[in-house]
Structures are given as C-alpha cells and as structure tokens.
Amino acid sequence: MDRTVRVLGVPMDLGADRRGVDMGPSAIRYGGLAEQLDGLGVDCTDGGDLAVPRPEARDPDADQPRGGRAKFRRETREVCEDVRTAVSGTIDDGEFPLVLGGDHSIAIGTVAGAAEPDESLGVVWFDAHGDFNTPQTTPSGNIHGMSLAAILGKGSFADESWAHTPAVSEENVVLVGLRNLDEGERRLVRESDVTAYSMSDVDARSVPEVVEEALGIAADGTDAIHVSLDMDWLDPTEAPGVGTPVRGGVSYREAHVAMEYVAERHDKLRTMELVEVNPILDDHNQTAELACELAASAFGKRIL
C-alpha cells in the first residue's frame, strides 16, 4: 500500500435487529488495527467516527417506500450520505479509505463515495448473505440485508439517488461465500448479472481459485475495485462476534489467503470496509482482532 490509510468509523446499527454492532469500530481499533498497519510500514491516520442517531430516539417506520418496508430508511440515508462525503473526501486527499462498521448498510455510502465521476467500479462482496433483498422482498425490513440491492438500484431503490450507484454494473459485482439467502433475494440474484459463488462453489474449487476469479471479474473493464468484508463470511468458530452467524464459512487461513489475493490487486483497490463486528456477542474481542489481521493481509502482510 503506497497511500496513507485513513480509518473512518461508522458506528451504525440502524440496519440490523441485534444491538452492539455500533461498537464495532471501537472494538477493531482496540484490537490493534493501527499497530497491524504500522508493522507493515503503512502510514495510517484516524478520521474518527461519523455521527449516527440512536435508534431509541427515532421511529423505524417514519419514512417507508411505497409497497415495501425499510426500517430507519431516513436515518440510513442521512448516514450513508455522510459516509459518501467522507470517503470521497479521503480519496480526493490522495488517501485510502478503510471504513469500519457498523452494520453492512454503510456499504451504500462507501460505494457511493468510491465511485468517481465518469468511472466504473467493480465490487467484491465477501459475505454469508446476499444482501440482495429490496423493500419489496425483505422478510425483516432490515436495510443491512438490502445494501447490495440498493447499490445496484433494485426494486424501489432504482429511484433513490442516495442508494443507487450507477457506476457499478452488475457484470462487475461478485458475491463470494454465500450460504444463507432469503427466497426473494435468491430469485433476484439468479435473475441478475452478478456473479455469485456459494460456499459449495468455494469447497469444490478452493478459495484461491474463486477469489482470484472474483477479483478478475470485478476488475474487468473497470477503473477501480471496492472490497466489502462482512465478518460473518467466516465460520462462527473463527468469528463468533457477528450478528447473523451462519455455520459453514471459511476458515481462518482461507480468509487470510483471500485477503492476500486482494493485496495483489492493490493497484486497482480504491476502498475497503470491515463490517458487522459485534463485541457484545464476541469472545474476548476475537472477531475484532481477526478483522485487524485480515486488514493487514489485504494491505500486504505475508508470512515470508
């Protein structure tokens, strides 16, 4: 990494049901993120945390899309617009934005900020879930399960400029490690032009092969890549501190290998986020510390 990394915390939990993920940025910092990057010789600054309203003070159903449900939609829009501004400003300053969540709804803002005018952006989404629901298909109304659909302008998000990022084409979006999809989003994924690798695909082909191919698809014809790493991508035995754990995820070493492949694309890597760390559910900050280690691998740490 030849750019200064600017850490941006987004203590967001409006997009999920389980409280605690708002403490994720602090847990990751406490887990040694700055020390990990410093050990690599990567210059790192901390931009602090963005302001996020408390859910207790807001009505989750005050601003609803027609024919669907998206809880805390107004507040999520406001936060994501602030994330977009912070990420875009970081890039304009010649630095690399490393965004810490917080729930996965913040990706809407990160991707919007990463998308430069008149450029195209590829996305690699490491996650147990598709995050491909719309307000019309969601069984829960939680926006962290709609974030990728929002970025791609699916359903009622098509007309919402704060959510839809036209610079991202479905053909350059790759989901890696899927193992839990709602029925409605399963249909949307199948009907779309995104590339989706389930854990069955990963098991059959290996992490290195799938991740290398995924990065190639995201980079094909695009100007830059965004990498979104949801910690529930890993198996809960490795990362217990997440709000929506799903058994059968990647192992500790497989996750590091994946991030080592990400590091090889540093010339195209524009932004990265680490999301869904929930310290309340964690075991001695294990998940947050692992997030720090994986960030180090993504920025070039190697065994030899």
Side-chain angles (χ1 to χ4, degrees):
M1 175 58 64
D2 56 1
R3 287 163 285 170
T4 296
V5 173
R6 185 183 299 179
V7 175
L8 300 170
V10 190
M12 175 78 154
D13 66 351
L14 299 171
D17 272 336
R18 303 185 77 169
R19 300 302 309 275
V21 74
D22 58 314
M23 295 185 284
S26 294
I28 295 171
R29 290 184 177 101
Y30 183 75
L33 178 62
E35 292 80 3
Q36 288 277 359
L37 297 182
D38 184 64
L40 291 171
V42 175
D43 291 332
C44 180
T45 64
D46 198 317
D49 286 351
L50 277 66
V52 177
R54 293 186 304 108
E56 295 86 357
R58 303 296 181 99
D59 178 0
D61 297 315
D63 179 30
Q64 291 300 305
R66 184 174 299 177
R69 189 178 187 217
K71 291 188 286 188
F72 297 109
R73 178 167 167 261
R74 177 185 301 151
E75 292 79 9
T76 301
R77 179 179 67 246
E78 293 168 354
V79 172
C80 286
E81 287 173 344
D82 288 344
V83 174
R84 178 186 63 200
T85 300
V87 168
S88 176
T90 299
I91 294 169
D92 289 344
D93 290 341
E95 297 182 348
F96 182 94
L98 177 59
V99 183
L100 311 180
D103 70 62
H104 217 160
S105 65
I106 68 170
I108 299 170
T110 308
V111 171
E116 295 285 291
D118 303 318
E119 288 191 354
S120 56
L121 183 72
V123 175
V124 182
W125 200 270
F126 294 97
D127 202 326
H129 308 88
D131 297 345
F132 222 77
N133 272 304
T134 68
Q136 291 70 43
T137 67
T138 175
S140 68
N142 295 327
I143 295 181
H144 76 154
M146 309 181 204
S147 44
L148 188 52
I151 290 165
L152 293 173
K154 295 292 185 181
S156 58
F157 289 120
D159 300 321
E160 302 198 38
S161 60
W162 69 272
H164 183 202
T165 300
V168 179
S169 297
E170 293 183 9
E171 293 83 357
N172 296 115
V173 174
V174 192
L175 289 151
V176 180
L178 293 176
R179 54 193 189 277
N180 190 316
L181 292 171
D182 296 315
E183 190 54 44
E185 69 175 336
R186 180 182 291 109
R187 175 180 54 81
L188 289 175
V189 170
R190 286 174 173 168
E191 292 174 354
S192 75
D193 290 320
V194 305
T195 300
Y197 297 101
S198 69
M199 276 307 298
S200 296
D201 297 318
V202 173
D203 291 339
R205 298 181 55 190
S206 81
V207 164
E209 183 177 338
V210 166
V211 173
E212 184 174 32
E213 189 170 283
L215 289 164
I217 292 168
D220 186 23
T222 61
D223 297 288
I225 296 174
H226 168 69
V227 168
S228 189
L229 175 57
D230 188 321
M231 291 301 291
D232 69 25
W233 181 57
L234 286 95
D235 192 83
T237 57
E238 308 286 2
V242 297
T244 50
V246 185
R247 294 171 62 186
V250 299
S251 70
Y252 174 90
R253 186 60 209 146
E254 286 173 325
H256 274 286
V257 168
M259 293 303 104
E260 289 165 7
Y261 274 85
V262 168
E264 293 180 2
R265 294 281 183 166
H266 69 90
D267 57 325
K268 271 209 166 186
L269 188 63
R270 179 170 288 166
T271 44
M272 182 175 177
E273 64 202 348
L274 305 168
V275 299
E276 297 288 354
V277 172
N278 190 325
I280 290 177
L281 305 173
D282 210 359
D283 183 6
H284 296 89
N285 217 34
Q286 175 182 338
T287 306
E289 291 176 1
L290 178 52
C292 298
E293 293 180 26
L294 293 175
S297 288
F299 290 125
K301 185 174 183 179
R302 294 290 183 273
I303 295 171
L304 289 175

